[in-house]
Amino acid sequence: MTHYENLPATNGIDNSEKLFTDSETWSAYGAQWNSGEQKTLLCCDVREETHDVKTFSFRCAEFSALSFEPGQFITVSPVIGGQTIARCYTLSSSPTRPFSFTITVKRVPNGVVSNWLHDNLRAGDSLIASGPAGSFTPVGHPARKLLYLSAGSGVTPLMSMTRASFDMAARLDIIFVHSARTPSDIIFHHELTRMQTTQPGLRVLNVCEGKGTDADWNGPLGRLDLQLLSEQVPDFREREVFTCGPKGYMDAVKDVLAKGGFDFQHYHQESFDIAALVEAPLIELAPVVEQTAGLFTITLSRSGKTFDMPANQTVLAAAKKAGAIVPSSCSQGVCGTCKTAVLQGTVEMNHNGGIRQREIDKGLRLLCCSRPTSDLVLDL
Ligand code: FES
């Protein structure tokens, strides 16, 4: 069984001759796309999951394998109206299938990139992307009993985790409770239903706010509350919990778990509201007053570019002003997209969870929230 059997392709436009190549496929075998690198991706397929959600399948143009942990995201940077706009999307596929990977995207009102992807991206098209990044992953939190709680498109990182444990034959005890508006809004409904018939230990429960057009729906109706959770997952206090969804949903989940006496040492949620960040308007940075004294010299080791910048500016802003191409998305130190190795020199970094201590220990920094405290040499 594949992950995607019986799902219809919906792109309608056949650019697929671009996807056929010759022996390059195997000559590139073994190359890797690692965290922080930028790649050209080729869209291989577009599939409709629900009326407003599509899964986009990609491979690296030169066949690199994407090295990531389930739950992480990539940042795609399409050119829309002549402007490059970067947005983060969680990978919905499993890292056990590193050569072809997917993002699953919901249309959102005024969502510049999400709606552009839905309306424009077809098999054979290419995109620039960077990543992978993110710390919402089960790696580092080993547990045999898990509870996945998601709402809406928050299902994507948990789907990646479920697919990974399926492919690895990990035989984990997973209860996956997904909340949706109506049965027709349930993302991955058929695949998860199939998976629970063949994966020992996986149980899937969908909770819908209303029946919508599905008069035959006989699953739970309403919202997840302590009564429903206690009935369906009586041992929830013994499970490692991973939660992803809109902020209001995650707040409600925390409230339910707190009322149920859950130990929050075993609780993990997406560290930022990816749904909000994905389509948040670009942040207008306060104008920087240029200093004429105390300038630092920044050298980009790969391109050989050199520029001077004041200490009160972020390295990202100064690098972009100097014409350097630096992948970035949130500009708030949360998404990890601008993670770059500082080869020489020191910065003051005030991040919001977009980098791990072990990465800092290796010399990586988030340029969007780093200000120089000396001359720098960057791995750019
Ligand atoms: Fe998101 Fe720097 S751009 S952490």
Side-chain angles (χ1 to χ4, degrees):
M1 184 178 85
T2 68
H3 285 146
Y4 307 116
E5 65 181 359
N6 302 328
L7 293 173
T10 57
N11 58 57
I13 294 179
D14 189 3
N15 284 332
S16 53
E17 73 277 3
K18 293 181 195 165
L19 297 169
F20 289 96
T21 54
D22 47 30
S23 55
E24 283 171 55
T25 311
W26 301 116
S27 66
Y29 190 85
Q32 283 226 325
W33 177 18
N34 295 306
S35 176
E37 293 176 348
Q38 203 170 53
K39 292 283 182 189
T40 300
L41 306 186
L42 211 50
C43 177
C44 307
D45 193 23
V46 183
R47 296 174 191 277
E48 196 167 277
E49 302 285 357
T50 70
H51 61 99
D52 60 355
V53 176
K54 287 183 180 179
T55 288
F56 300 88
S57 229
F58 297 99
R59 69 165 161 80
C60 290
E62 85 289 17
F63 294 99
S64 298
L66 172 59
S67 172
F68 70 104
E69 296 173 11
Q72 290 193 303
F73 58 85
I74 57 172
T75 303
V76 300
S77 305
V79 179
I80 303 174
Q83 213 195 337
T84 301
I85 305 178
R87 292 290 187 272
C88 310
Y89 292 100
T90 307
L91 290 149
S92 50
S93 54
S94 165
T96 52
R97 302 183 183 199
F99 293 97
S100 172
F101 38 87
T102 61
I103 58 173
T104 299
V105 180
K106 183 176 163 58
R107 266 189 193 279
V108 287
N110 305 316
V112 179
V113 178
S114 297
N115 296 346
W116 183 89
L117 291 170
H118 270 252
D119 294 335
N120 296 281
L121 196 70
R122 304 286 182 259
D125 292 345
S126 56
L127 265 186
I128 298 295
S130 60
S135 54
F136 180 64
T137 136
V139 177
H141 306 287
R144 214 187 72 71
K145 294 178 79 170
L146 298 141
L147 173 59
Y148 295 164
L149 299 171
S150 65
S153 55
V155 69
T156 51
L158 303 173
M159 190 63 184
S160 176
M161 295 176 199
T162 306
R163 284 169 166 164
S165 63
F166 182 84
D167 278 358
M168 293 164 72
R171 298 282 174 111
L172 298 173
D173 176 347
I174 300 171
I175 300 184
F176 196 150
V177 183
H178 178 64
S179 297
R181 269 191 227 289
T182 71
S184 64
D185 292 301
I186 300 171
I187 305 167
F188 306 128
H189 193 178
H190 299 297
E191 184 181 345
L192 280 169
T193 302
R194 276 199 309 274
M195 284 173 84
Q196 78 171 341
T197 64
T198 54
Q199 181 173 344
L202 173 64
R203 188 158 73 84
V204 179
L205 178 72
N206 291 297
V207 182
C208 292
E209 282 179 37
K211 289 189 174 189
T213 55
D214 187 350
D216 296 333
W217 173 256
N218 57 11
L221 283 171
R223 294 193 174 189
L224 185 67
D225 58 18
L226 185 55
Q227 186 184 346
L228 182 62
L229 186 66
S230 303
E231 282 168 11
Q232 296 292 334
V233 194
D235 62 351
F236 72 88
R237 293 174 197 83
E238 299 163 25
R239 291 175 178 270
E240 200 78 15
V241 172
F242 289 83
T243 305
C244 189
K247 185 174 181 310
Y249 168 80
M250 291 199 291
D251 288 348
V253 162
K254 280 174 97 167
D255 198 40
V256 167
L257 291 173
K259 282 185 188 143
F262 183 77
D263 176 0
F264 278 86
Q265 283 196 20
H266 299 282
Y267 177 85
H268 314 270
Q269 68 175 42
E270 182 53 286
S271 59
F272 56 97
D273 189 348
I274 200 163
L277 187 60
V278 158
E279 289 300 0
L282 294 179
I283 295 159
E284 292 293 335
L285 295 173
V288 172
V289 180
E290 295 276 354
Q291 293 177 340
T292 51
L295 293 179
F296 292 116
T297 300
I298 314 299
T299 303
L300 309 185
S301 66
R302 293 193 214 182
S303 63
K305 194 183 243 312
T306 298
F307 59 91
D308 290 337
M309 67 168 293
N312 65 342
Q313 203 171 17
T314 66
V315 181
L316 177 70
K320 286 193 168 177
K321 192 174 170 200
I325 297 172
V326 188
S328 64
S329 182
C330 69
S331 298
Q332 297 178 68
V334 288
C335 74
T337 310
C338 64
K339 203 178 296 165
T340 301
V342 176
L343 303 175
Q344 284 176 31
T346 52
V347 298
E348 185 183 308
M349 177 172 71
N350 291 306
H351 69 90
N352 287 306
I355 189 166
R356 299 178 194 192
Q357 188 56 47
R358 67 173 189 247
E359 295 172 317
I360 297 172
D361 294 343
K362 283 184 190 162
L364 294 166
R365 297 292 183 272
L366 300 179
L367 300 188
C368 69
C369 53
S370 293
R371 291 176 169 74
T373 50
S374 73
D375 292 345
L376 300 174
V377 179
L378 304 176
D379 185 22
L380 279 174

